[in-house]
Amino acid sequence: GDSVTQMEGPVTLSEEAFLTINCTYTATGYPSLFWYVQYPGEGLQLLLKATKADDKGSNKGFEATYRKETTSFHLEKGSVQVSDSAVYFCALRGGSNYQLIWGAGTKLIIKP
Amino acid sequence: DTAVSQTPKYLVTQMGNDKSIKCEQNLGHDTMYWYKQDSKKFLKIMFSYNNKELIINETVPNRFSPKSPDKAHLNLHINSLELGDSAVYFCASSSGQGFEKLFFGSGTQLSVL
């Protein structure tokens, strides 16, 4: 079945460092891909999405490109801030009922 | 003004008890969901309701019963709680059924002792 694999965390970086969180997927067809973020004490919220190959989703300085050839959707940010500390979830829309299939989440810790 | 609110935030209870978690959304969305997040942080859908009608019912023990009195509310009742039910339960909503953009509550951490 469809699945999403994310890099294990926690990922610890210093402020202004470059961020990459890896996400790869297995799916039949052409799923839509998403990144959600969960800030401490809050629910998940949509960060960005891409619906077809080579699409780039972007929001709040974060970017991810839908790479069909490598079945990847890696999240990147050029210069992270302490306020980016959160858990990041990669997901694809597929499976039965086109529901979301989630990765395990990657905790990001940014130190000042 | 919280968009998706669920109560309680923490729930500690004994095995065998019955408990409920409430969820309300003020976004005017038609679809609401319950997700379970296990200890390894994997999110798994349990139920989905659209306009008070059940549309997704994954393989969940029938001790779990969702109830949607109106499209703004989706409550989760759990009978005869077991140790394995310990998890974080998230309520979410969306404007359509296509899982395009979900809005989540902040979660209910259930601990069964």
Side-chain angles (χ1 to χ4, degrees), chain A residues 82-96:
Chain A
V82 172
S83 57
D84 294 326
S85 298
V87 181
Y88 292 81
F89 291 88
C90 184
L92 69 82
R93 188 177 62 173
S96 58

Side-chain angles (χ1 to χ4, degrees), chain A residues 4 32 34 36 38 41-46 49 51 87 89 93 96-105, chain B residues 9 35 37 40-45 55-58 88 90 97-107:
Chain A
V4 174
S32 295
F34 304 83
Y36 276 77
Q38 184 181 20
E42 298 182 15
L44 286 75
Q45 53 185 278
L46 180 64
K49 69 176 186 180
T51 57
V87 181
F89 291 88
R93 188 177 62 173
S96 58
N97 295 311
Y98 294 99
Q99 60 182 271
L100 287 172
I101 310 297
W102 298 87
Chain B
K9 194 169 177 61
Y35 278 88
Q37 186 180 46
K40 294 186 177 180
K41 302 295 185 188
F42 276 105
L43 275 162
K44 199 168 181 189
I45 192 164
I55 54 173
I56 292 177
N57 183 355
E58 290 296 299
V88 181
F90 285 99
Q97 297 182 43
F99 292 86
E100 271 293 325
K101 183 174 182 178
L102 269 62
F103 291 76
F104 282 79
S106 56

